[in-house]
Amino acid sequence: MIIPLQQHAGAVCNPLVRVGDTVSIGQLIGDGESRIHSSVSGEVTALSEMPHPSGKDVLSVVIETRNGEKKDIKPEELHAGTIKSIIREFGIVEPNGLSTMSKQVDIDTIIINGTNTGDLSANAALMLDHPSEIVHGLKALMESVGAKKAIIVIELNSEALHVMRTETIPDSNIKIVATPAYYPAGTENTLVKKFARKKVPRGSTPEDRGVLVSGIAAIKALYDAVHDGIPMITKTVTVAGAVRSPGNVLVEIGTSVKHVIDECGGCSGTPVKIVINGAISGAAQYSDEVPVIKTTSGILVQTESDINREPPAPCINCAWCVDECPIGLMPHLLYGYADSAQFDKCAELYIGDCVECGMCAYVCPSKLPLVQIIRYGKHGVAEMEGGTVEAEA
C-alpha cells in the first residue's frame, strides 16, 4: 500500500511515522496544510519518493498490510467555528484538492455538485448508496456555517435524482435541482452563477459571495467524520473503458490502480493507456502502480483503438480554445507562457482560475497538450509565489 503525503493542493505533508512503525486504520501519518491518515493496518516499510497520479514522484508512506484494529477516533461535534478545523483534522478535500472551506466568512447558500462528468459516475453511486448520510452531512454543514438554504445539483437522467428528492422531502431549505447533462457542469463559478444567481469576480471565490460549493464525496466524508470519527481514507471510484467488469468501487486510499483494475476483472484487450479522472480532463499515467488518492474519481483503461495518435502541430491562433473556456481564460496564451516558463505572465492571466476541464485541448485543431502544460504552469506559479513569500520573510 502506497499512501502519498500529497493528496491536496499545497505542499507535501511532513511524515509522522518512521520505517518499522506499526500503524492502524485511521492513524494520522502525515501533517501539514492538510492531513493524511492510514487506510490500512500494517508496518511502515519505506518512506520514499513513489509514483503519483500527478505524473511526478511524491514522498509516500509504504505500508505492508496486515490485519489490525482501527485507530480509536472520537466523532467530532460540529458547530460554528469548528468546521474548518474538522475538515483539516480529518483530511477532507474536494475533487480539486482544495479544502471544502478555506475562509471563515458568512455563508448564506451551499451548493452541492452532484453532477457526473462524461464517463465518471461516482457521484451518482454515492447518492444511490448513501442518500441519508449525504443529507445529514449537508444539514450539519449548513448548521455549522449558518447557511439558510442548500442546493444539490443533479443531472436530469441520473438515477440518483428521484432518490435524493425523496430523501429531502422533509427539508424545505434543501432544494434538489435537475439540470441537463452538459460538460463541464461542475465548475464552481458556473454553479454559483446559474443556481445562486451570483457572479464571482475574477480573483475572488464563491465564499466571498456568501456561497460555499462542495462535492458529494466531501459531504459524505464530513458525515463520516462527525458521526463515526472516520477520516477520509476511502474513495468511490469509477472504473471504465476496457475492463471486464466496469463500475463504481469503494477503494482504500493508497491502493494501486493495477489492483483496482484486477478487482474489476482485469483488462479486456491489451491496455495501452490508463487515464485518471476522465477522458477529457484526466491525466494519462506512466505506471499502473500509481495509487488511488483523495482526488481520484475515475480510472479509464484504453486500448489502441480508443486512442487518436495525431501528432501535435504549432498553434494557429484560431482561438477555439478561448471560445470554449468556461472560465473566460485565454488557454493559447497560457500554453505559450507556461511552455516557455514565463510564470509571471501566467499569473497575470489568472492561470490559477483554470479548472482543467480539458475543453481547450478537446477542440484544439493542432492537438496541443494544453491541459498538461497549463498544469505545469500552475505548479510554476505556485513555486514562484512561494519563493517570493520566503524572500519577503
Side-chain angles (χ1 to χ4, degrees), residues 85-105:
S85 63
I86 289 174
I87 289 170
R88 181 183 178 279
E89 290 290 325
F90 287 81
I92 300 171
V93 298
E94 297 290 338
N96 59 6
L98 296 174
S99 172
T100 299
M101 189 172 185
S102 58
K103 302 176 181 179
Q104 201 71 43
V105 294

mmCIF file of all heavy atoms in Angstrom, residues 85-105:
data_model
loop_
_atom_site.group_PDB
_atom_site.id
_atom_site.type_symbol
_atom_site.label_atom_id
_atom_site.label_comp_id
_atom_site.label_asym_id
_atom_site.label_seq_id
_atom_site.Cartn_x
_atom_site.Cartn_y
_atom_site.Cartn_z
ATOM 1 N N SER A 85 -11.561 23.436 11.235
ATOM 2 C CA SER A 85 -10.619 22.557 11.933
ATOM 3 C C SER A 85 -10.978 21.093 11.730
ATOM 4 O O SER A 85 -10.099 20.245 11.593
ATOM 5 C CB SER A 85 -10.576 22.896 13.429
ATOM 6 O OG SER A 85 -11.831 22.670 14.035
ATOM 7 N N ILE A 86 -12.275 20.782 11.700
ATOM 8 C CA ILE A 86 -12.698 19.392 11.478
ATOM 9 C C ILE A 86 -12.318 18.935 10.078
ATOM 10 O O ILE A 86 -11.819 17.817 9.883
ATOM 11 C CB ILE A 86 -14.219 19.245 11.708
ATOM 12 C CG1 ILE A 86 -14.536 19.378 13.196
ATOM 13 C CG2 ILE A 86 -14.735 17.912 11.177
ATOM 14 C CD1 ILE A 86 -16.009 19.400 13.516
ATOM 15 N N ILE A 87 -12.542 19.796 9.095
ATOM 16 C CA ILE A 87 -12.187 19.457 7.717
ATOM 17 C C ILE A 87 -10.693 19.160 7.616
ATOM 18 O O ILE A 87 -10.276 18.197 6.961
ATOM 19 C CB ILE A 87 -12.592 20.601 6.763
ATOM 20 C CG1 ILE A 87 -14.124 20.642 6.630
ATOM 21 C CG2 ILE A 87 -11.942 20.441 5.401
ATOM 22 C CD1 ILE A 87 -14.644 21.860 5.922
ATOM 23 N N ARG A 88 -9.890 19.957 8.300
ATOM 24 C CA ARG A 88 -8.444 19.725 8.266
ATOM 25 C C ARG A 88 -8.057 18.496 9.071
ATOM 26 O O ARG A 88 -7.271 17.665 8.628
ATOM 27 C CB ARG A 88 -7.704 20.958 8.808
ATOM 28 C CG ARG A 88 -6.200 20.796 8.777
ATOM 29 C CD ARG A 88 -5.477 21.977 9.374
ATOM 30 N NE ARG A 88 -4.048 21.750 9.354
ATOM 31 C CZ ARG A 88 -3.395 21.025 10.258
ATOM 32 N NH1 ARG A 88 -4.065 20.458 11.259
ATOM 33 N NH2 ARG A 88 -2.097 20.849 10.175
ATOM 34 N N GLU A 89 -8.595 18.376 10.299
ATOM 35 C CA GLU A 89 -8.233 17.263 11.178
ATOM 36 C C GLU A 89 -8.498 15.914 10.518
ATOM 37 O O GLU A 89 -7.733 14.968 10.671
ATOM 38 C CB GLU A 89 -9.015 17.347 12.483
ATOM 39 C CG GLU A 89 -8.621 18.492 13.411
ATOM 40 C CD GLU A 89 -7.245 18.298 14.022
ATOM 41 O OE1 GLU A 89 -6.872 17.146 14.299
ATOM 42 O OE2 GLU A 89 -6.537 19.308 14.204
ATOM 43 N N PHE A 90 -9.597 15.818 9.767
ATOM 44 C CA PHE A 90 -9.987 14.544 9.164
ATOM 45 C C PHE A 90 -9.565 14.431 7.701
ATOM 46 O O PHE A 90 -9.958 13.498 7.011
ATOM 47 C CB PHE A 90 -11.490 14.330 9.326
ATOM 48 C CG PHE A 90 -11.893 13.984 10.731
ATOM 49 C CD1 PHE A 90 -12.046 14.961 11.692
ATOM 50 C CD2 PHE A 90 -12.082 12.652 11.107
ATOM 51 C CE1 PHE A 90 -12.395 14.634 12.997
ATOM 52 C CE2 PHE A 90 -12.434 12.313 12.404
ATOM 53 C CZ PHE A 90 -12.586 13.305 13.361
ATOM 54 N N GLY A 91 -8.754 15.387 7.251
ATOM 55 C CA GLY A 91 -8.159 15.301 5.918
ATOM 56 C C GLY A 91 -9.150 15.342 4.775
ATOM 57 O O GLY A 91 -8.946 14.680 3.754
ATOM 58 N N ILE A 92 -10.207 16.135 4.908
ATOM 59 C CA ILE A 92 -11.251 16.180 3.881
ATOM 60 C C ILE A 92 -10.879 17.197 2.808
ATOM 61 O O ILE A 92 -10.613 18.366 3.107
ATOM 62 C CB ILE A 92 -12.616 16.537 4.497
ATOM 63 C CG1 ILE A 92 -13.000 15.481 5.549
ATOM 64 C CG2 ILE A 92 -13.689 16.641 3.424
ATOM 65 C CD1 ILE A 92 -14.229 15.856 6.367
ATOM 66 N N VAL A 93 -10.852 16.751 1.551
ATOM 67 C CA VAL A 93 -10.564 17.651 0.436
ATOM 68 C C VAL A 93 -11.595 17.438 -0.670
ATOM 69 O O VAL A 93 -12.236 16.396 -0.756
ATOM 70 C CB VAL A 93 -9.142 17.436 -0.139
ATOM 71 C CG1 VAL A 93 -8.085 17.719 0.908
ATOM 72 C CG2 VAL A 93 -8.981 16.025 -0.692
ATOM 73 N N GLU A 94 -11.734 18.447 -1.513
ATOM 74 C CA GLU A 94 -12.629 18.395 -2.659
ATOM 75 C C GLU A 94 -11.929 17.705 -3.835
ATOM 76 O O GLU A 94 -10.720 17.461 -3.784
ATOM 77 C CB GLU A 94 -13.059 19.813 -3.046
ATOM 78 C CG GLU A 94 -13.855 20.535 -1.973
ATOM 79 C CD GLU A 94 -15.248 19.955 -1.775
ATOM 80 O OE1 GLU A 94 -15.758 19.293 -2.695
ATOM 81 O OE2 GLU A 94 -15.817 20.168 -0.683
ATOM 82 N N PRO A 95 -12.659 17.408 -4.912
ATOM 83 C CA PRO A 95 -12.029 16.753 -6.068
ATOM 84 C C PRO A 95 -10.853 17.520 -6.662
ATOM 85 O O PRO A 95 -9.968 16.921 -7.274
ATOM 86 C CB PRO A 95 -13.180 16.651 -7.079
ATOM 87 C CG PRO A 95 -14.408 16.587 -6.237
ATOM 88 C CD PRO A 95 -14.128 17.479 -5.067
ATOM 89 N N ASN A 96 -10.830 18.847 -6.488
ATOM 90 C CA ASN A 96 -9.711 19.638 -6.997
ATOM 91 C C ASN A 96 -8.552 19.741 -6.010
ATOM 92 O O ASN A 96 -7.564 20.436 -6.273
ATOM 93 C CB ASN A 96 -10.184 21.041 -7.391
ATOM 94 C CG ASN A 96 -10.813 21.810 -6.233
ATOM 95 O OD1 ASN A 96 -10.803 21.354 -5.086
ATOM 96 N ND2 ASN A 96 -11.369 22.969 -6.528
ATOM 97 N N GLY A 97 -8.669 19.064 -4.879
ATOM 98 C CA GLY A 97 -7.599 19.051 -3.891
ATOM 99 C C GLY A 97 -7.663 20.160 -2.871
ATOM 100 O O GLY A 97 -6.876 20.188 -1.930
ATOM 101 N N LEU A 98 -8.609 21.094 -3.041
ATOM 102 C CA LEU A 98 -8.733 22.204 -2.105
ATOM 103 C C LEU A 98 -9.604 21.823 -0.912
ATOM 104 O O LEU A 98 -10.402 20.890 -0.987
ATOM 105 C CB LEU A 98 -9.335 23.421 -2.804
ATOM 106 C CG LEU A 98 -8.500 24.030 -3.938
ATOM 107 C CD1 LEU A 98 -9.288 25.132 -4.627
ATOM 108 C CD2 LEU A 98 -7.171 24.566 -3.416
ATOM 109 N N SER A 99 -9.465 22.552 0.164
ATOM 110 C CA SER A 99 -10.292 22.331 1.335
ATOM 111 C C SER A 99 -11.733 22.730 1.041
ATOM 112 O O SER A 99 -12.000 23.639 0.250
ATOM 113 C CB SER A 99 -9.760 23.154 2.508
ATOM 114 O OG SER A 99 -10.641 23.105 3.613
ATOM 115 N N THR A 100 -12.684 22.042 1.674
ATOM 116 C CA THR A 100 -14.094 22.364 1.473
ATOM 117 C C THR A 100 -14.393 23.798 1.860
ATOM 118 O O THR A 100 -15.174 24.497 1.209
ATOM 119 C CB THR A 100 -14.982 21.410 2.301
ATOM 120 O OG1 THR A 100 -14.754 20.076 1.855
ATOM 121 C CG2 THR A 100 -16.460 21.743 2.139
ATOM 122 N N MET A 101 -13.764 24.275 2.913
ATOM 123 C CA MET A 101 -13.974 25.652 3.360
ATOM 124 C C MET A 101 -12.623 26.264 3.675
ATOM 125 O O MET A 101 -11.909 25.799 4.552
ATOM 126 C CB MET A 101 -14.887 25.678 4.590
ATOM 127 C CG MET A 101 -15.321 27.067 4.996
ATOM 128 S SD MET A 101 -16.579 27.023 6.303
ATOM 129 C CE MET A 101 -16.954 28.779 6.435
ATOM 130 N N SER A 102 -12.281 27.312 2.931
ATOM 131 C CA SER A 102 -10.955 27.913 3.091
ATOM 132 C C SER A 102 -10.981 29.209 3.875
ATOM 133 O O SER A 102 -9.935 29.687 4.320
ATOM 134 C CB SER A 102 -10.337 28.168 1.712
ATOM 135 O OG SER A 102 -11.177 29.016 0.939
ATOM 136 N N LYS A 103 -12.175 29.805 4.041
ATOM 137 C CA LYS A 103 -12.270 31.090 4.722
ATOM 138 C C LYS A 103 -13.360 31.056 5.784
ATOM 139 O O LYS A 103 -14.348 30.336 5.634
ATOM 140 C CB LYS A 103 -12.576 32.213 3.720
ATOM 141 C CG LYS A 103 -11.559 32.358 2.608
ATOM 142 C CD LYS A 103 -11.982 33.417 1.610
ATOM 143 C CE LYS A 103 -10.975 33.555 0.489
ATOM 144 N NZ LYS A 103 -11.386 34.564 -0.511
ATOM 145 N N GLN A 104 -13.174 31.813 6.828
ATOM 146 C CA GLN A 104 -14.186 31.942 7.872
ATOM 147 C C GLN A 104 -15.039 33.170 7.540
ATOM 148 O O GLN A 104 -14.803 34.269 8.033
ATOM 149 C CB GLN A 104 -13.531 32.083 9.246
ATOM 150 C CG GLN A 104 -14.453 31.724 10.404
ATOM 151 C CD GLN A 104 -14.735 30.232 10.476
ATOM 152 O OE1 GLN A 104 -13.842 29.420 10.314
ATOM 153 N NE2 GLN A 104 -15.984 29.858 10.706
ATOM 154 N N VAL A 105 -16.011 32.963 6.658
ATOM 155 C CA VAL A 105 -16.866 34.068 6.206
ATOM 156 C C VAL A 105 -18.323 33.664 6.385
ATOM 157 O O VAL A 105 -18.652 32.500 6.642
ATOM 158 C CB VAL A 105 -16.592 34.405 4.725
ATOM 159 C CG1 VAL A 105 -15.187 34.957 4.552
ATOM 160 C CG2 VAL A 105 -16.801 33.186 3.833
#
